[in-house]
Amino acid sequence: MSYVMDPASRMNIKRPPNGYILFCKEWRRRLATQYATEKSSEISIRLGKMWHALTSVEEQKYLNLGRLTAQEHGQRHPDYSYNPIEAQRQKAAHVGAHRVKGMNPKGHKVTNTLGVSGKGACSRPSPASSRVSNFTPYTVKLLQITALIQ
């Protein structure tokens, strides 16, 4: 009996990890416990530096593991082929489905450090709007705070 995948589950097949991804997967947790106060972005920088510092023998170990993983992936999913344009379209549709004006993808209200929410909180004003008024939402909020203090 052969196993036939339905089209919906076929769309959720992930790409096989390459050597660098496998390296990061192995080392990220170790670094995160060792440097518990660092942000994820700082851990990623450390991982990149570690990857570049590997000897060719060590690096080849991960690259070979990545090739082996890709071969196993090909055996499990013989009809799979990566299409970057389709992947980009699916990602945009996923993010767009969760996007609400003034909200980030997790559903939290978008604000800047002064508590200004809305479009001005996450982007610079366009050149056309800056000709009309020299005050950005940040400046307006700063002026409001200054007026309250005086």
Side-chain angles (χ1 to χ4, degrees):
M1 179 176 171
S2 66
Y3 178 75
V4 179
M5 292 174 46
D6 64 324
S9 65
R10 183 176 296 170
M11 291 174 46
N12 294 329
I13 298 173
K14 293 183 178 182
R15 291 174 68 185
N18 60 24
Y20 176 71
I21 299 297
L22 294 169
F23 169 80
C24 290
K25 191 174 187 178
E26 181 180 326
W27 282 93
R28 182 174 294 278
R29 183 167 285 148
R30 293 182 201 176
L31 291 178
T33 55
Q34 186 177 357
Y35 301 100
T37 59
E38 288 191 356
K39 298 177 188 174
S40 177
S41 60
E42 293 165 339
I43 298 291
S44 295
I45 291 169
R46 282 187 186 276
L47 285 168
K49 288 179 180 178
M50 285 175 62
W51 175 256
H52 288 292
L54 289 178
T55 65
S56 59
V57 174
E58 293 170 325
E59 184 178 341
Q60 197 61 42
K61 175 184 118 178
Y62 292 104
L63 295 176
N64 290 339
L65 189 59
R67 285 188 200 100
L68 181 64
T69 307
Q71 288 173 354
E72 290 172 357
H73 184 273
Q75 290 171 356
R76 282 192 312 267
H77 308 288
D79 295 336
Y80 173 82
S81 66
Y82 177 66
N83 182 347
I85 295 172
E86 180 64 19
Q88 187 177 26
R89 186 194 64 76
Q90 286 179 8
K91 184 176 182 180
H94 175 73
V95 171
H98 299 289
R99 179 77 53 172
V100 177
K101 188 172 183 171
M103 300 285 195
N104 66 14
K106 291 185 177 181
H108 298 116
K109 186 175 180 182
V110 177
T111 60
N112 65 11
T113 55
L114 289 177
V116 176
S117 63
K119 185 176 179 184
C122 46
S123 64
R124 291 180 149 170
S126 68
S129 65
S130 64
R131 285 187 211 109
V132 175
S133 169
N134 291 332
F135 298 119
T136 63
Y138 176 83
T139 309
V140 171
K141 189 69 173 182
L142 193 60
L143 289 171
Q144 291 171 345
I145 293 171
T146 306
L148 290 174
I149 294 172
Q150 295 175 349

